[in-house]
Amino acid sequence: MKVIYQLLLLLTLVCPLFFIACISKEYPVTQNYQETQYKTEITTESYTENQTTVHTESGEYALTSYFNWSTANFYYYGYEIPEAQSYDNISLRLSIWPQLQYEPVMLHVFDMSKTGQIPSPEPLPADETVSTPPDWYFITGTASDTWLKSANTMINQAKLLGATNCLWSQVADPQIIILKAGKPSSIAIIITEAQNKWNCRVNLDALWSRNTVDYQPVTKQRQVSKQVSFQVERQRTVYQVRQVPFWETVLSP
């Protein structure tokens, strides 16, 4: 009998502890959340750019040989183009006069911008004899050695634009030669081997062109793509921890 009382007393003390004791337990929970996603959209936008327009002017005018001289079978005609640097391109048009009496003639056209025009020959001094010119001399004749050396140095530094021989015009077939010249400020035409001056007549014209550029702002449109964000509703399962009585854990399936 005494043993029974002791067991009841023990149960009386232990059972409350049994029901009060708690442990941690995980429970699944559904959770709502938003996810950011991106998509590509095509839009139209305006922009401004400069539109380039090139205008070309052109013209021509006759040139006059303001500076000329001659020696035996050698004729020099000098021309100036004072506005050469204001043009983009210059061409020279040579109109060759018909020969009154045919003879073979050489014609050279030089750009003398670098050296300037060659002055007329200096007379041979009385105490100086005519010497045989070097092979590199283009200009020969009766003149002082000092002048001949200076003149040939200048012509060697000049730019040859063109040359022709035995191509003089016939009366019914006038000859015209056009040479691209760049931007020369000084031109020389040298005619050699002509016995008669009337077979050395030529007209010279400058044909010029000049470009001007205009910039005009123009508004245009273009298609562009860009990334746009948007929100999407999502669900996920998470686990939460709760404190539950020990007996609930034992008794749960």
Side-chain angles (χ1 to χ4, degrees):
M1 191 64 155
K2 185 178 179 179
V3 174
I4 295 174
Y5 284 121
Q6 289 177 346
L7 289 173
L8 291 174
L9 179 61
L10 180 61
L11 290 173
T12 304
L13 295 173
V14 172
C15 285
L17 295 176
F18 176 79
F19 285 102
I20 295 173
C22 295
I23 63 172
S24 298
K25 184 177 180 181
E26 289 184 340
Y27 287 90
V29 177
T30 300
Q31 185 182 70
N32 295 324
Y33 69 98
Q34 288 187 331
E35 181 181 88
T36 301
Q37 295 186 357
Y38 295 89
K39 62 181 178 179
T40 300
E41 290 186 355
I42 305 298
T43 60
T44 301
E45 69 175 15
S46 298
Y47 68 100
T48 301
E49 69 175 18
N50 285 328
Q51 181 173 296
T52 303
T53 304
V54 179
H55 304 281
T56 301
E57 301 175 82
S58 61
E60 62 179 79
Y61 52 85
L63 298 176
T64 302
S65 60
Y66 78 100
F67 188 84
N68 51 68
W69 50 266
S70 63
T71 61
N73 302 333
F74 191 99
Y75 301 88
Y76 184 97
Y77 300 94
Y79 305 82
E80 293 296 305
I81 308 178
E83 300 179 9
Q85 295 306 311
S86 66
Y87 305 131
D88 291 324
N89 293 287
I90 296 175
S91 294
L92 301 174
R93 182 175 62 206
L94 289 79
S95 302
I96 301 172
W97 287 40
Q99 285 187 337
L100 299 179
Q101 179 181 353
Y102 174 78
E103 60 179 338
V105 195
M106 286 292 298
L107 179 146
H108 293 79
V109 183
F110 291 93
D111 178 356
M112 305 297 295
S113 304
K114 183 178 180 180
T115 63
Q117 301 290 353
I118 299 176
S120 56
E122 296 176 356
L124 181 69
D127 59 348
E128 185 177 315
T129 58
V130 177
S131 58
T132 302
D135 293 339
W136 65 273
Y137 273 18
F138 174 76
I139 302 174
T140 59
T142 305
S144 68
D145 287 340
T146 301
W147 181 89
L148 285 171
K149 183 176 181 180
S150 174
N152 281 282
T153 299
M154 293 176 69
I155 205 67
N156 284 342
Q157 293 177 354
K159 180 181 179 181
L160 178 64
L161 298 177
T164 184
N165 67 328
C166 301
L167 294 176
W168 290 102
S169 301
Q170 301 299 317
V171 176
D173 182 25
Q175 184 177 171
I176 296 177
I177 300 174
I178 296 180
L179 301 174
K180 293 182 178 180
K183 295 184 179 183
S185 57
S186 297
I187 296 294
I189 294 179
I190 296 177
I191 298 174
T192 57
E193 302 179 17
Q195 299 295 324
N196 301 298
K197 188 173 183 179
W198 54 78
N199 284 334
C200 304
R201 302 180 68 181
V202 59
N203 291 343
L204 184 63
D205 299 299
L207 313 178
W208 59 269
S209 64
R210 177 169 49 214
N211 295 328
T212 57
V213 181
D214 291 337
Y215 299 96
Q216 183 69 32
V218 177
T219 300
K220 297 183 178 181
Q221 291 186 328
R222 60 189 171 193
Q223 301 291 317
V224 296
S225 61
K226 62 180 181 179
Q227 295 293 309
V228 179
S229 63
F230 62 96
Q231 301 297 316
V232 178
E233 294 290 337
R234 300 290 190 189
Q235 286 186 335
R236 60 189 172 192
T237 299
V238 298
Y239 289 89
Q240 294 182 351
V241 177
R242 297 179 184 174
Q243 298 294 322
V244 298
F246 175 76
W247 62 266
E248 184 178 319
T249 305
V250 175
L251 298 178
S252 63

